[in-house]
């Protein structure tokens, strides 16, 4: 990002919206009976999270309505024609879908940690974790169909959310398939990342525009903003998995290598002749030592693979910001551009 003041302004904006979203989560997802189930649904939500997707959704609304960021009542947000919508409920729905994917992803990958705490299936049990994820999935559609938007806009937004969830499942299946293939191209990886990760960023930018009554060109441009930012976000995650210590990352550093998951980094390294499979071959435990990861990273850096990934993330971010030209020139639009920069500049 350009300077320290820009970063501070963006983080303040994210914090302000995160607090509003957290309050709304308490309202929309109370812990009721059966208590164990609802405790599990709230577990990761209460464990933290930057709430970047709902932040993007709220900022899109603020820019389209051309209101001063943070000043509008998100529960009764002005549309572009007449009436208002509960944009905060839609934002919570998007965050809830994100949490549902994390719970099921951790089960499939047998990950032990998430956000610095035991994964839901480790804190509770696998059966409860599956039910908690399913409950969150259902709740998201309940929220999206009850925003007060015009029926045609609400239907279009709910339809996009459904298609997004389908694409996430398609991306997850591709990710699983890649583990059993001898060769995966970087272009195929980027397609998988778009489906598994980026589509929810795309939905987070497009859905508020749909609910507010924006035209199709605006909705599609905002979707592309989210897609390119989301792909850059995932590539940065791949970099962070290797370069940030476990205690800061909130999960095992080098977990992608340990799980033999292909990333843009490892795919590039293979093209450079690196024997990626042997980088952690000597490790026989379920945990990688920091030294083992550091040695693997040194090999990947020498091959130029980590720098390649960073450059690709920067390229996607530049492209994502160009899609914001459909928005009015205001503070919220600038914050969305800063958010795209932040997604590849963050340290964890």
């Amino acid at each position: 990002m350009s300077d320290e003041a820009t970063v501070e302004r963006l983080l303040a904006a994210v914090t302000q919206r995160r607090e509003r979203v957290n309050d709304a989560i308490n309202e929309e997802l109370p812990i009721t009976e059966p208590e164990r189930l609802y405790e599990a649904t709230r577990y990761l939500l209460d464990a933290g999270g930057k709430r970047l997707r709902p932040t993007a959704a709220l900022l899109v609304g603020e820019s389209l309505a051309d209101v001063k960021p943070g000043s509008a009542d998100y529960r009764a947000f002005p549309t572009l024609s007449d009436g208002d919508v509960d944009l905060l409920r839609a934002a919570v729905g998007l965050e809830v879908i994100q949490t549902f994917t994390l719970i099921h992803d951790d089960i499939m990958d047998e990950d032990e940690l998430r956000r610095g705490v035991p994964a839901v299936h480790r804190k509770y049990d696998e059966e409860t974790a599956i039910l908690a994820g399913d409950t969150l999935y259902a709740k998201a559609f309940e929220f999206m169909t009850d925003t007060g938007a015009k029926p045609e806009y609400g239907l279009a937004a709910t339809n996009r959310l459904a298609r997004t969830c389908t694409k996430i499942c398609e991306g997850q299946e591709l990710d699983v398939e890649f583990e059993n293939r001898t060769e995966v191209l970087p272009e195929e990886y980027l397609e998988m990342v778009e489906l598994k990760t980026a589509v929810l960023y795309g939905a987070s930018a497009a859905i508020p525009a749909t609910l507010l009554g924006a035209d199709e060109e605006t909705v599609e441009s905002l979707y592309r903003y989210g897609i390119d930012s989301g792909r850059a976000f995932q590539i940065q995650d791949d970099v962070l998995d290797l370069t940030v210590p476990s205690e800061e990352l909130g999960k095992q550093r080098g977990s992608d290598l340990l799980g033999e998951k292909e990333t843009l980094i490892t795919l590039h390294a293979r093209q450079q002749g690196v024997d990626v499979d042997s980088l952690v071959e000597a490790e026989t435990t379920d945990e990688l030592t920091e030294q083992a990861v550091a040695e693997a990273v040194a090999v990947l850096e020498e091959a130029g693979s980590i720098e390649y990934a960073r450059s690709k993330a920067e390229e996607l971010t530049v492209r994502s910001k160009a899609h914001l030209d459909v928005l009015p020139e205001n503070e919220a639009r600038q914050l969305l551009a800063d958010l795209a920069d932040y997604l590849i500049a963050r340290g964890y």
Side-chain angles (χ1 to χ4, degrees):
M1 300 185 71
S2 57
D3 57 62
E4 189 173 323
T6 299
V7 175
E8 289 181 359
R9 185 178 70 250
L10 173 67
L11 292 181
V14 171
T15 297
Q16 182 187 34
R17 285 153 189 78
R18 180 172 63 240
E19 290 173 353
R20 294 294 307 278
V21 171
N22 287 344
D23 289 343
I25 288 171
N26 289 332
E27 296 171 18
E28 304 288 352
L29 275 173
I31 297 177
T32 59
E33 295 293 336
E35 191 171 310
R36 180 178 173 83
L37 172 63
Y38 283 99
E39 283 180 351
T41 64
R42 285 284 299 271
Y43 176 70
L44 275 189
L45 287 163
D46 293 343
K50 298 182 182 67
R51 313 293 191 234
L52 297 177
R53 294 161 190 82
T55 290
L58 296 177
L59 285 172
V60 165
E62 290 165 11
S63 182
L64 282 170
D66 203 15
V67 298
K68 182 175 176 57
S71 66
D73 179 359
Y74 297 125
R75 288 292 195 183
F77 199 88
T79 65
L80 302 183
S81 53
D82 61 332
D84 49 50
V85 300
D86 190 338
L87 201 58
L88 195 55
R89 181 170 288 151
V92 169
L94 292 161
E95 183 67 15
V96 161
I97 286 292
Q98 164 66 4
T99 307
F100 140 72
T101 67
L102 295 181
I103 293 173
H104 283 197
D105 198 46
D106 287 344
I107 294 170
M108 295 177 70
D109 292 345
E110 299 182 348
D111 282 338
E112 299 289 328
L113 293 174
R114 175 68 67 174
R115 292 176 175 166
V117 298
V120 177
H121 66 285
R122 294 303 184 200
K123 174 69 175 178
Y124 296 89
D125 53 63
E126 193 166 298
E127 293 82 1
T128 300
I130 291 171
L131 290 171
D134 291 348
T135 300
L136 290 169
Y137 175 84
K139 284 288 185 182
F141 287 93
E142 182 182 323
F143 300 153
M144 199 60 69
T145 57
D146 190 24
T147 65
K150 288 184 177 180
E152 61 270 32
Y153 299 158
L155 178 61
T158 304
N159 183 270
R160 184 178 289 275
L161 185 64
R163 286 184 282 122
T164 296
C165 291
T166 300
K167 289 178 182 295
I168 290 171
C169 292
E170 292 171 354
Q172 180 67 20
E173 177 58 25
L174 283 178
D175 196 16
V176 171
E177 288 180 10
F178 287 174
E179 295 179 20
N180 300 314
R181 282 176 51 181
T182 56
E183 183 178 356
V184 178
L185 299 175
E187 295 77 17
E188 292 178 299
Y189 173 80
L190 288 173
E191 178 190 6
M192 182 273 289
V193 163
E194 176 170 336
L195 292 170
K196 183 179 176 181
T197 302
V199 289
L200 190 52
Y201 273 101
S204 297
I207 282 175
T210 297
L211 291 172
L212 295 179
D215 61 75
E216 188 55 39
E217 179 186 355
T218 298
V219 171
E220 183 58 28
S221 291
L222 289 168
Y223 182 71
R224 296 314 310 175
Y225 158 80
I227 290 292
D228 287 334
S229 293
R231 291 200 292 175
F233 171 89
Q234 182 58 57
I235 293 170
Q236 175 69 358
D237 254 13
D238 297 341
V239 172
L240 296 178
D241 182 74
L242 293 171
T243 58
V244 175
S246 299
E247 59 270 18
E248 294 181 30
L249 198 58
K251 62 178 183 176
Q252 168 69 53
R253 180 188 181 196
S255 61
D256 289 342
L257 282 177
L258 185 62
E260 298 181 345
K261 295 179 72 67
E262 294 288 11
T263 67
L264 198 62
I265 297 168
T266 59
L267 293 174
H268 179 271
R270 290 183 192 280
Q271 290 184 331
Q272 309 312 304
V274 174
D275 185 358
V276 174
D277 299 326
S278 70
L279 290 179
V280 293
E281 192 174 55
E283 296 297 318
T284 58
T285 66
D286 291 334
E287 243 181 80
L288 284 172
T289 63
E290 290 292 324
Q291 180 61 32
V293 178
E295 290 172 0
V297 168
V299 174
L300 295 170
E301 285 181 335
E302 186 175 352
S305 301
I306 292 179
E307 182 54 38
Y308 169 78
R310 286 186 172 124
S311 296
K312 177 59 71 173
E314 291 172 0
E315 174 189 325
L316 288 166
T317 299
V318 169
R319 198 163 72 190
S320 78
K321 292 189 291 185
H323 293 301
L324 295 175
D325 288 348
V326 295
L327 294 174
E329 290 189 20
N330 50 33
E331 186 180 348
R333 169 177 156 177
Q334 184 57 54
L335 285 168
L336 283 165
D338 294 340
L339 180 61
D341 286 332
Y342 173 74
L343 293 180
I344 64 168
R346 63 201 165 88
Y348 59 94

